[in-house]
Amino acid sequence: WTESHATKTFHSHSQSIRTCNFHPLIPGLLVTSAMDSTVRFFDIESGEETNKFDLEAVHINNISFSYDGGLLSLACKDRVIRIADPRSNSVVNSTSLTNNVIGRNLNLAWCSTRTSHGTILSTSSGSSGLRQIHLWDPRNLSDPTQTIPVDNASGQLYPMYDEDTGLCFIAGKGDTIIRYYELSFSSSDSAVYCAKSNEYLSGSKEPISGICLMPKRSMDVRNVEVARLLKLTTNSVIPISFKQPRAETLKQYFQDDVFVPTRSKSSPSNGSVWQSYLSDPDYVLPEAIYESLKPDDMTNLSEKPPDKPVVQKVAVFREDLNKRAEENQKREETFNRLQDMASRYNPSASHKVKIKAEAKLVEDSEDSDNDWDN
């Protein structure tokens, strides 16, 4: 591939580019950062630079947007987290330069929902090699709201947040383990809590050179695939699939309790919307469009007809015993009634029948004894 194959080319940065991110609401808006300490916004449709801001000799490790794309969180090489407002082209909030919490290899992900401003999850390594996770309130970056130790290793950690499931996947460069954490958003006090859910140990011994989280629209919903990562090694790209365990009889239904409506690939916003947002302080970015992942030939699990009541084997066995006991009782009552009628009309016949029955029992007993003697 050469530059002639590109549909658009931008030459605004004076030094090498470090990050490239697309706006979560405006698909045609590209945000880049470079070693020249600038963050620039490009409208791919028009091929023009819309705005930029300069961080003055601060290098950026990675960028993450808020849920609506109105703010940016920046993980900087000087171990400082900064929140930037594209409207003012400036930093509006940041952690302290003298904080002793954030270590080297700082990376972050802005984890939020439609109804919550969320939290900024950062990963870094301390001087002793301890890798840690910190949660930060975007409104107050003075101290982390939660600290979670990970392990002791030298590779930097990359957080990847799935806003539909509330899971944050964390993989380390040079590692073979992928950890994922569940974030709980409290509606009462706007607090966010993080807890380790599980970890995945790759069958391949190839260490991770790079990794990314695939879009939700690429999931195999028929097999309840909730996430898919692409693991980059020295000579291959390995897909890693995470699936929700479900009974085979339920897989014929769309798991609408797992797959909530996700961001649509089509968006009403474009470059003109971004220009209006930059120029008008009262302008509000339109909400994202959401779409269901349900295939047309599947029925929602919530609409599944109720199952037929299952009768336990013990209950069936007891019912069969009761039925047999009733039949034996009826047979005995019928026999006693017939015997009573016979003795009433011919008393001697009843006596003979009784004698014959006793004689028959004696003969059977003698035959059984003879069998033992032989």
Side-chain angles (χ1 to χ4, degrees):
W1 290 90
T2 62
E3 189 173 329
S4 60
H5 293 90
T7 57
K8 289 288 188 301
T9 305
F10 305 98
H11 298 280
S12 299
H13 287 290
S14 60
Q15 296 185 32
S16 60
I17 296 175
R18 296 296 303 272
T19 66
C20 289
N21 298 79
F22 281 97
H23 194 276
L25 187 64
I26 306 173
L29 186 64
L30 178 66
V31 184
T32 62
S33 67
M35 294 295 291
D36 58 8
S37 301
T38 62
V39 178
R40 299 174 185 267
F41 296 76
F42 299 97
D43 185 355
I44 294 180
E45 186 176 349
S46 64
E48 298 179 355
E49 179 180 330
T50 61
N51 60 305
K52 71 170 184 176
F53 57 88
D54 195 339
L55 293 180
E56 300 178 358
V58 174
H59 297 159
I60 298 173
N61 292 335
N62 80 308
I63 295 176
S64 182
F65 283 93
S66 61
Y67 191 85
D68 61 354
L71 297 173
L72 296 86
S73 58
L74 313 174
C76 302
K77 205 165 185 178
D78 59 355
R79 305 184 182 185
V80 175
I81 297 174
R82 293 174 170 86
I83 297 179
D85 185 358
R87 277 177 166 167
S88 61
N89 290 325
S90 62
V91 175
V92 295
N93 198 0
S94 67
T95 57
S96 173
L97 283 169
T98 58
N99 76 84
N100 297 320
V101 176
I102 302 175
R104 56 188 174 84
N105 296 329
L106 173 64
N107 286 293
L108 56 77
W110 196 321
C111 308
S112 55
T113 64
R114 305 177 197 177
T115 57
S116 171
H117 63 270
T119 185
I120 294 177
L121 185 148
S122 68
T123 59
S124 62
S125 302
S127 57
S128 62
L130 176 64
R131 300 192 293 188
Q132 292 182 316
I133 298 172
H134 296 100
L135 298 186
W136 305 84
D137 188 343
R139 301 165 298 181
N140 182 10
L141 296 176
S142 58
D143 294 299
T145 59
Q146 187 178 356
T147 300
I148 303 173
V150 179
D151 61 359
N152 283 278
S154 57
Q156 60 178 313
L157 298 173
Y158 301 102
M160 297 160 288
Y161 176 62
D162 181 3
E163 62 185 28
D164 291 340
T165 60
L167 293 176
C168 186
F169 297 87
I170 297 179
K173 190 172 183 178
D175 293 355
T176 57
I177 297 177
I178 300 174
R179 303 169 178 86
Y180 43 104
Y181 296 78
E182 184 177 2
L183 280 79
S184 302
F185 299 85
S186 174
S187 57
S188 58
D189 55 0
S190 300
V192 182
Y193 306 95
C194 180
K196 185 176 180 180
S197 179
N198 210 332
E199 62 183 32
Y200 168 81
L201 179 60
S202 175
S204 171
K205 299 301 181 181
E206 290 283 343
I208 298 173
S209 299
I211 196 163
C212 71
L213 179 65
M214 293 291 290
K216 188 64 68 173
R217 293 186 302 274
S218 63
M219 299 299 102
D220 182 9
V221 297
R222 297 182 185 275
N223 289 315
V224 204
E225 183 186 34
V226 297
R228 187 189 306 158
L229 304 179
L230 293 182
K231 171 186 172 181
L232 175 67
T233 66
T234 54
N235 56 5
S236 62
V237 176
I238 303 174
I240 301 174
S241 179
F242 295 86
K243 297 179 180 180
Q244 178 79 18
R246 285 291 163 95
E248 290 295 329
T249 55
L250 297 178
K251 287 187 178 180
Q252 59 180 313
Y253 299 98
F254 176 71
Q255 314 295 315
D256 53 342
D257 60 329
V258 176
F259 299 104
V260 299
T262 189
R263 289 182 191 258
S264 174
K265 60 182 179 181
S266 60
S267 174
S269 303
N270 50 30
S272 61
V273 171
W274 182 249
Q275 290 291 353
S276 300
Y277 178 73
L278 295 177
S279 58
D280 185 358
D282 297 327
Y283 187 85
V284 178
L285 289 172
E287 293 185 0
I289 297 176
Y290 302 95
E291 64 179 8
S292 174
L293 299 176
K294 184 178 81 68
D296 296 335
D297 59 343
M298 295 185 74
T299 305
N300 288 330
L301 181 63
S302 58
E303 300 173 0
K304 183 178 76 71
D307 297 329
K308 295 181 180 180
V310 179
V311 181
Q312 296 182 358
K313 292 184 178 180
V314 175
V316 175
F317 180 71
R318 288 178 179 174
E319 184 178 357
D320 186 54
L321 286 180
N322 294 334
K323 188 182 295 184
R324 290 183 182 182
E326 291 178 359
E327 292 177 354
N328 291 335
Q329 185 177 359
K330 289 181 180 180
R331 192 180 297 111
E332 185 177 355
E333 291 177 354
T334 302
F335 178 78
N336 292 335
R337 189 166 56 253
L338 293 174
Q339 188 177 18
D340 184 57
M341 291 175 61
S343 61
R344 187 180 305 171
Y345 293 103
N346 191 359
S348 60
S350 174
H351 180 66
K352 291 179 180 180
V353 170
K354 185 175 181 180
I355 293 175
K356 287 182 179 180
E358 292 177 352
K360 179 64 176 175
L361 291 173
V362 171
E363 291 177 359
D364 293 341
S365 176
E366 291 178 353
D367 291 340
S368 61
D369 294 339
N370 292 335
D371 292 338
W372 281 102
D373 294 338
N374 295 331

